Amino acid sequence: MTDLRLKLDKARWWAITEQPFYGQLAMGLTDVLDSQPTACTNGKTIRWGKDFLANLSEEETRFVLLHETLHCAHGHLWRLPHDAKANVAGDYAINHLLKAIPGLSMPKGGLTCPLGLENLAEEEIYASLPDPPKGKKPPGDDGEPGGDPGGCGGFDEPAPDAAPTQPDQPPPPTLKEEWERRVIQADQAAKATKGDLPADLQRVLERVRHQPIDWRRELADFVRNVRSTCNDRSRCARRHAWQPVIYPRKKADELGLVVFAR
């Protein structure tokens, strides 16, 4: 068990030092060792099959680590269905990118993107794939929700989003929003080091930037920030200060002008 943990630590250290953009994203996932056939992620953890991991070389371990990371960074958990066909589409998209990175080696049986699909979005790849015959499972579908036809690690339904810590507080960012934020931070890190964000993450970043704004969250943040700068409502009226009862001031605090537009 210790050897397997060390193997994963070495893969993450390599990603951080040699591929910092991908390495920074990989740090958002924790490792869990279990008995599943290959590997799988739910956006918070990577579940590694112990036998599967033990048989991977260092280069293959790095490949699977980044493979699972990109399932999350590309939003496959939210963009695609959770079935084996969707895992094939996701694998085609990210394996094509990972195979071009030196220091990585795709495990035996990994899926290579067919000619003509290299520059398509995952949804387009998914639509172009044939459906499996009725009553027959796609290759690699081991009963897990997403299966792993490519043998490099699949993706499952995303982990539940965190609940607010206080009833009157707005909900914390969803897991999807957290990954979008990580992609933006990877872009900022690239600019800070005068580097270029990888082309695959550039496309993800453009999709994030063009998403509609959640006006409910923006309004909640606005009201909370304005209220924090208001006068202290606990101050009492001075002319009643001599009385045993605290009287509030007649002048209310000002919230400011809120404009709604459609």
Side-chain angles (χ1 to χ4, degrees):
M1 187 72 73
T2 303
D3 292 341
L4 295 181
R5 291 287 181 184
L6 179 60
K7 196 173 190 178
L8 292 174
D9 289 343
K10 291 176 65 177
R12 288 180 184 277
W13 176 253
W14 176 89
I16 293 172
T17 55
E18 299 297 328
Q19 296 291 331
F21 308 128
Y22 297 107
Q24 181 177 341
L25 293 171
M27 294 304 293
L29 294 164
T30 57
D31 299 313
V32 176
L33 299 177
D34 63 15
S35 58
Q36 70 166 308
T38 56
C40 188
T41 182
N42 64 357
K44 288 188 176 180
T45 64
I46 301 177
R47 294 164 47 212
W48 297 83
K50 289 180 284 188
D51 293 338
F52 170 71
L53 178 58
N55 292 319
L56 294 178
S57 66
E58 289 190 6
E59 292 79 8
E60 290 172 338
T61 303
R62 300 168 188 166
F63 189 100
V64 175
L65 172 64
L66 298 191
H67 179 98
E68 293 295 84
T69 300
L70 290 188
H71 271 316
C72 301
H74 282 233
H76 293 167
L77 288 72
W78 304 275
R79 294 170 56 190
L80 298 173
H82 304 115
D83 55 32
K85 179 180 172 181
N87 268 272
V88 171
D91 282 10
Y92 280 161
I94 58 183
N95 286 355
H96 178 69
L97 301 165
L98 294 177
K99 287 176 66 176
I101 298 177
L104 302 180
S105 178
M106 186 169 68
K108 185 179 179 180
L111 300 179
T112 299
C113 189
L115 293 176
L117 301 182
E118 303 94 332
N119 298 317
L120 296 182
E122 286 85 331
E123 293 86 352
E124 296 175 299
I125 298 176
Y126 181 86
S128 69
L129 298 177
D131 292 324
K134 292 184 178 180
K136 184 178 180 181
K137 292 183 179 180
D141 193 336
D142 52 10
E144 293 288 331
D148 185 18
C152 296
F155 63 91
D156 205 343
E157 293 186 4
D161 295 322
T165 56
Q166 298 294 335
D168 58 341
Q169 290 184 347
T174 64
L175 184 60
K176 178 176 179 288
E177 291 169 340
E178 288 180 11
W179 274 100
E180 291 170 348
R181 183 179 301 170
R182 288 169 189 164
V183 174
I184 294 174
Q185 290 172 343
D187 177 52
Q188 294 172 343
K191 293 177 180 177
T193 57
K194 298 182 180 180
D196 294 325
L197 195 69
D200 60 312
L201 294 186
Q202 285 282 12
R203 290 192 292 270
V204 174
L205 182 63
E206 286 301 314
R207 185 173 64 252
V208 170
R209 286 174 172 168
H210 287 84
Q211 287 184 346
I213 296 175
D214 185 349
W215 65 268
R216 296 175 181 85
R217 185 180 300 277
E218 293 294 327
L219 178 60
D221 290 342
F222 168 77
V223 173
R224 185 174 60 254
N225 292 335
V226 171
R227 287 293 300 118
S228 65
T229 60
C230 286
N231 296 327
D232 185 6
R233 297 181 66 92
S234 65
R235 289 183 298 177
C236 63
R238 293 182 179 180
R239 64 191 184 93
H240 294 292
W242 58 274
Q243 297 192 21
V245 179
I246 297 177
Y247 288 87
R249 297 172 303 161
K250 288 186 176 180
K251 184 178 179 181
D253 293 316
E254 295 180 358
L255 178 63
L257 178 65
V258 180
V259 178
F260 296 88
R262 290 188 62 185

